[in-house]
Amino acid sequence: MKQILIANIKELINIEEHPQLSVAGKEMSLLKTLKNAWLLIEGDRIRDYGTGIPDTGYGIRDTGSGIQDPASSIQDPLTVIDATDRLVFPSFCDAHTHLVYAGSREIEYVDKIRGLSYEEIAKRGGGILNSAKLLHETSEDELVEQALGRLNEIINLGTGAVEIKSGYGLTVEDELKMLRVIRKLKEISPLTIVSTFLGAHALPADYRGRQGDYVDLVINEMIPQVASEELADYIDVFCDRGFFTMEDTDRILNAGMKYGLRPKIHANELDYSGGIQVGVKYNALSVDHLEYTGKKEIACLIKSEAMPVILPGAAFFLNMTSAPARRMIDAGLPVAFASDFNPGSSPSGNMQLILSMACITYRLLPEEAIFATTLNGAYAMGVSDDLGSIARGKKANLFITKPISTYEFMPYAYGSNKVERVILNGEIARSEIAKNS
Ligand code: NIG
Ligand code: FE
């Protein structure tokens, strides 16, 4: 089997001798690393890691000045990567995006600068409905093409796993179309992708005044078809003021549960919507946004298995209040941070920027922010048994940084790309883009 040895690693970040599915509270500051390390990849898996020079049992020869050449006796092809002065991280796991969309919405962005709110733009047919119109007019192939560009961009920024939602279809046909695009992306992209059905993202204009009828459509037509074609791993509802109520959400999640669709929901972005409570009632894997989270909501989350997912890109871009992530961790909760990559409230999938925002705006320590964007993100997608940390047997999705001083430098030096090489599924996905920068 093909092997890759990454040698002379200055520091190997987020190693787990005993892998956990997520980390919470104080544990989030206890990030484990290994200095002067090596990492061996076999096939698409992390085979082993250690300090200094790897065991000769792997057939790797020490030439006296560090590891340079594979031993000539070795049967399988071995690639050696010299990571002198560089750090190795597990890839980012971005647990919340809407990155399948058509075109862009920068004109609304200017309207926002002029003073219109997100909800006002939505009310006059802009926002999500604008993206739904554009999506309707765009072919599946073109949507795949546009999304692939975004996927390649985030690969280069260090993301290795991503969740993608539907929700710009809003008709049976177009929701299925979006989910088929996501299925195609799963087939052709080296990223690990999970898909979420978000039929209840916004009320289409022709259902105005008949919200119950649209909820019926989601329940009676969309969910059964999505389930019968196995197009989604999870189900989502935008449970918030001006969008879907707690009662709508309860009905939809109940219907989804009957088809084995576990919730990952949008909750409490615009108000104390009750979304957290209804999500927890249906054993949500994650509850996301959470700008409006008080004592009651934190108490509810403590008793649950739901991962709170914070989306700093949306709060930043819409210039809105920030979720109380610090208070959540201090209360003993886990948190994940994700990009929310979408054309309306967060047109960026840059997880390095999210890592910086987690530290700067939300006062997470770098160690906590690294867990929030890797292992806890993986949990919020249901893939943390296989991704999100450096552990023997886990999938080899990781990145090698440019020469940098410490792991704290990653969130500190915000705005620039610190990733030099990416390995996904044990394959080098991108090499030396930025040697000279
Ligand atoms: O997560 N809040 C709801 N949905 C997206 C925004 C989608 C859009 O505006 O296109 C979000 O922020
Ligand atoms: Fe979202």
Side-chain angles (χ1 to χ4, degrees):
M1 220 184 294
K2 225 176 78 182
Q3 292 184 323
I4 298 177
L5 174 71
I6 309 175
N8 309 319
I9 303 167
K10 183 175 187 177
E11 195 163 2
L12 180 60
I13 310 300
N14 198 0
I15 54 165
E16 282 195 300
E17 284 292 315
H18 306 287
Q20 305 185 78
L21 290 179
S22 62
V23 284
K26 284 198 176 65
E27 301 248 300
M28 285 188 71
S29 57
L30 306 176
L31 185 76
K32 293 197 186 61
T33 72
L34 212 53
K35 290 193 169 139
N36 182 26
W38 55 269
L39 177 86
L40 182 68
I41 297 165
E42 197 168 75
D44 68 348
R45 300 282 131 187
I46 295 172
R47 164 90 186 263
D48 204 359
Y49 58 81
T51 42
I53 308 290
D55 199 301
T56 49
Y58 294 125
I60 292 153
R61 186 158 52 96
D62 177 10
T63 58
S65 55
I67 301 145
Q68 287 166 355
D69 299 319
S72 51
S73 64
I74 201 144
Q75 298 282 309
D76 297 315
L78 172 73
T79 306
V80 180
I81 298 175
D82 180 7
T84 299
D85 295 332
R86 290 154 172 85
L87 275 49
V88 172
F89 280 75
S91 297
F92 293 118
C93 296
D94 189 352
H96 181 135
T97 83
H98 311 247
L99 66 70
V100 169
Y101 59 85
S104 55
R105 304 210 316 252
E106 65 274 23
I107 303 307
E108 288 174 9
Y109 158 78
V110 177
D111 288 341
K112 265 182 225 126
I113 296 170
R114 291 188 202 279
L116 281 185
S117 74
Y118 184 73
E119 286 162 284
E120 281 163 345
I121 290 170
K123 275 210 185 94
R124 46 170 222 193
I128 295 165
L129 298 186
N130 187 358
S131 284
K133 184 172 171 290
L134 288 169
L135 185 123
H136 180 71
E137 293 159 357
T138 307
S139 72
E140 268 183 53
D141 286 351
E142 174 60 23
L143 288 168
V144 168
E145 212 41 51
Q146 290 190 21
L148 268 183
R150 293 175 199 124
L151 291 181
N152 288 335
E153 185 189 349
I154 65 173
I155 287 172
N156 291 339
L157 290 163
T159 295
V162 66
E163 182 254 18
I164 311 175
K165 299 172 192 297
S166 71
Y168 294 126
L170 309 180
T171 62
V172 177
E173 207 176 273
D174 287 346
E175 281 298 308
L176 294 175
K177 168 170 148 184
M178 264 194 99
L179 289 167
R180 286 191 196 112
V181 169
I182 301 172
R183 181 166 65 192
K184 180 84 188 161
L185 296 171
K186 285 189 188 191
E187 284 163 20
I188 59 181
S189 171
L191 286 162
T192 298
I193 297 175
V194 304
S195 61
T196 301
F197 165 62
L198 174 55
H201 195 193
L203 187 70
D206 46 341
Y207 280 87
R208 232 175 242 164
R210 299 188 295 126
Q211 181 137 332
D213 291 350
Y214 184 68
V215 172
D216 287 342
L217 181 79
V218 171
I219 292 172
N220 299 326
E221 296 194 40
M222 292 186 186
I223 291 175
Q225 290 200 49
V226 168
S228 84
E229 286 190 44
E230 294 183 24
L231 282 169
D233 303 301
Y234 301 104
I235 186 165
D236 192 348
V237 175
F238 187 8
C239 180
D240 230 316
R241 190 183 68 207
F243 290 84
F244 293 89
T245 65
M246 241 181 122
E247 292 68 33
D248 297 332
T249 309
D250 194 294
R251 287 183 60 209
I252 294 168
L253 298 188
N254 199 296
M257 189 179 68
K258 293 183 183 142
Y259 288 91
L261 291 169
R262 194 172 174 190
K264 274 176 67 62
I265 74 165
H266 282 75
N268 299 46
E269 177 185 7
L270 307 170
D271 206 346
Y272 292 95
S273 66
I276 292 175
Q277 286 85 344
V278 69
V280 166
K281 176 178 169 191
Y282 286 97
N283 190 30
L285 179 61
S286 74
V287 286
D288 305 16
H289 273 292
L290 313 183
E291 280 76 2
Y292 290 86
T293 300
K295 277 201 185 116
K296 249 188 3 210
E297 285 76 14
I298 288 181
C300 172
L301 286 166
I302 292 268
K303 288 187 250 126
S304 81
E305 289 180 9
M307 176 63 68
V309 178
I310 315 288
L311 307 166
F316 167 71
F317 189 82
L318 300 177
N319 210 358
M320 296 195 337
T321 185
S322 303
R326 183 71 266 157
R327 252 185 285 140
M328 293 181 194
I329 297 174
D330 293 345
L333 283 171
V335 297
F337 273 67
S339 75
D340 199 12
F341 197 173
N342 77 74
S345 70
S346 187
S348 165
N350 185 343
M351 287 294 282
Q352 292 182 57
L353 198 53
I354 298 301
L355 186 75
S356 295
M357 286 186 195
C359 296
I360 297 162
T361 310
Y362 296 78
R363 295 185 41 241
L364 267 66
L365 295 167
E367 293 82 1
E368 295 170 325
I370 291 169
F371 269 129
T373 49
T374 57
L375 187 66
N376 285 357
Y379 176 95
M381 281 187 263
V383 297
S384 60
D385 56 341
D386 207 30
L387 289 163
S389 65
I390 302 292
R392 294 179 187 91
K394 274 197 173 183
K395 192 184 270 190
N397 277 18
L398 49 94
F399 62 80
I400 305 170
T401 66
K402 295 175 185 171
I404 62 172
S405 45
T406 59
Y407 65 75
E408 289 90 343
F409 187 87
M410 280 297 279
Y412 157 83
Y414 75 93
S416 63
N417 188 3
K418 278 84 61 188
V419 172
E420 186 170 87
R421 282 193 205 213
V422 170
I423 295 181
L424 294 177
N425 313 308
E427 304 270 343
I428 300 169
R430 161 187 188 263
S431 56
E432 300 165 58
I433 280 185
K435 266 252 157 100
N436 304 320
S437 61

